[in-house]
Amino acid sequence: MKEPRLGSLGQERCLLLGRVVPPCAASDDLHPLHRPSASTSAGTRVRHPSRHRHTSATAYLAASADRIKKGGHAALTTHAANPFLFKQPPYDPVRDFAMVGLFGTYPSILVVDAKGPHRSVADIIASARKTPGGLFFGYYSSSSRVPSELLRAATGTEMTGVSYRNVTQILTDLRRGDVAFAFLDALSAAPALQEGSGLRPIGTSAPQRDLRHPDLAAVAETVPDFAMEGWMGLAAPAATPPALLARANAAVADAVASPDVHKAFEEQGLTPRSLSLEEARNFLVADTRRWREWVRIAGIEAE
């Protein structure tokens, strides 16, 4: 039976802040909103949430949710995906939070060894079909595993995931040929896109090519309807007063429209985009539904 349409957006990094303030980016390198020029018309100073280390992702989610309920703030990743990646997530992304706005979207980049035989998505699919046992791909989190699993399901090929602790380890094994490919989110893929990296980007999970990288084909050009993009946005506790949400939404839109912030986002792989409050809520609801289906197709068991 043919799998359903793969959808359009996913692997998101949503910043959930107990106090509605312009957030830092979930990526360590994406910090344009931290700059003094990013202070908002709402009169709120930009703050970087302090980092916390926990023994597990579940522990981090629980501690972050508790901190937010007590009026603090925290940065959480894979917001819409968490209900399906964890057995007992401490919050519901739609029920417990109000989406404030969106900063932008970013794709995952399909990367291979530059010295290897694969130069296109079609090459990966053909190789998986003719290689006994199929191909191995690398991933560094449950959510980063999903694009490769969707490619496997959509093409009916054998592809087996290998789990890594971080992106650096994947890049090393790609260069050695230990794994055939990996999808890296665009915010982490910068090293792989640089000339001389020893790696070759051959596809983007965005629905169409990015004008910033016109030579990088969309996977959808080979696998119809394949599309999966991450996003970065701001959410507040569900009980936040509507007037404050509206002010915060306007502040986010102003920040995204700022030339400096817009340029900084683009330089690091994000496609800036703003949404109204209603659009942002509908966006989150739809993305949560997409993640439910993606995790099912990928066959990922909740941790």
Side-chain angles (χ1 to χ4, degrees):
M1 183 176 70
K2 183 179 179 181
E3 292 288 1
R5 182 182 177 91
L6 297 182
S8 59
L9 292 167
Q11 196 177 0
E12 78 295 349
R13 299 181 176 193
C14 183
L15 304 179
L16 309 180
L17 308 184
R19 291 189 293 275
V20 183
V21 300
C24 72
S27 166
D28 289 343
D29 298 322
L30 200 61
H31 294 162
L33 289 180
H34 297 179
R35 300 170 185 169
S37 61
S39 294
T40 72
S41 58
T44 307
R45 291 186 59 188
V46 177
R47 299 182 58 191
H48 188 304
S50 58
R51 293 199 179 116
H52 299 267
R53 295 185 180 276
H54 299 273
T55 57
S56 69
T58 302
Y60 177 84
L61 290 175
S64 297
D66 182 65
R67 189 178 308 114
I68 292 171
K69 290 176 182 178
K70 293 178 180 178
H73 63 277
L76 302 181
T77 64
T78 56
H79 182 45
N82 286 335
F84 316 112
L85 297 178
F86 299 96
K87 291 181 179 179
Q88 294 182 317
Y91 67 90
D92 181 284
V94 176
R95 181 194 65 219
D96 296 332
F97 293 94
M99 278 295 290
V100 174
L102 198 70
F103 296 121
T105 59
Y106 60 91
S108 290
I109 308 299
L110 177 55
V111 178
V112 300
D113 176 21
K115 302 185 299 296
H118 306 123
R119 305 189 70 86
S120 67
V121 176
D123 287 345
I124 289 287
I125 297 171
S127 183
R129 285 176 173 157
K130 70 180 182 181
T131 301
L135 299 181
F136 290 96
F137 64 85
Y139 66 92
Y140 50 93
S141 66
S142 294
S143 58
S144 72
R145 174 183 165 188
V146 171
S148 298
E149 295 287 9
L150 294 183
L151 180 63
R152 171 195 57 77
T155 58
T157 55
E158 287 191 67
M159 298 177 179
T160 303
V162 179
S163 177
Y164 290 84
R165 287 182 177 273
N166 54 55
V167 173
T168 301
Q169 292 178 337
I170 295 178
L171 301 186
T172 298
D173 278 8
L174 277 171
R175 296 186 185 98
R176 294 194 305 207
D178 292 340
V179 291
F181 70 94
F183 276 95
L184 309 178
D185 72 69
L187 307 183
S188 304
L193 297 176
Q194 295 175 358
E195 187 174 351
S197 68
L199 301 168
R200 177 187 298 131
I202 61 172
T204 172
S205 68
Q208 61 279 321
R209 299 190 185 207
D210 189 330
L211 295 179
R212 292 167 291 187
H213 304 285
D215 295 331
L216 186 60
V219 176
E221 295 175 27
T222 303
V223 184
D225 295 334
F226 187 99
M228 182 177 182
E229 290 185 287
W231 53 272
M232 299 186 70
L234 175 66
T240 303
L244 186 54
L245 290 176
R247 289 172 58 196
N249 177 264
V252 168
D254 288 344
V256 174
S258 165
D260 288 345
V261 173
H262 195 281
K263 180 181 179 182
F265 277 165
E266 287 194 325
E267 288 176 348
Q268 299 196 48
L270 195 72
T271 299
R273 179 183 175 189
S274 294
L275 295 176
S276 68
L277 283 175
E278 182 178 2
E279 290 171 335
R281 173 175 172 75
N282 292 340
F283 179 93
L284 176 60
V285 170
D287 200 50
T288 301
R289 291 172 179 164
R290 281 189 288 266
W291 267 103
R292 182 193 299 274
E293 184 64 4
W294 285 338
V295 171
R296 183 194 69 78
I297 293 173
I300 297 175
E301 294 186 7
E303 297 180 10

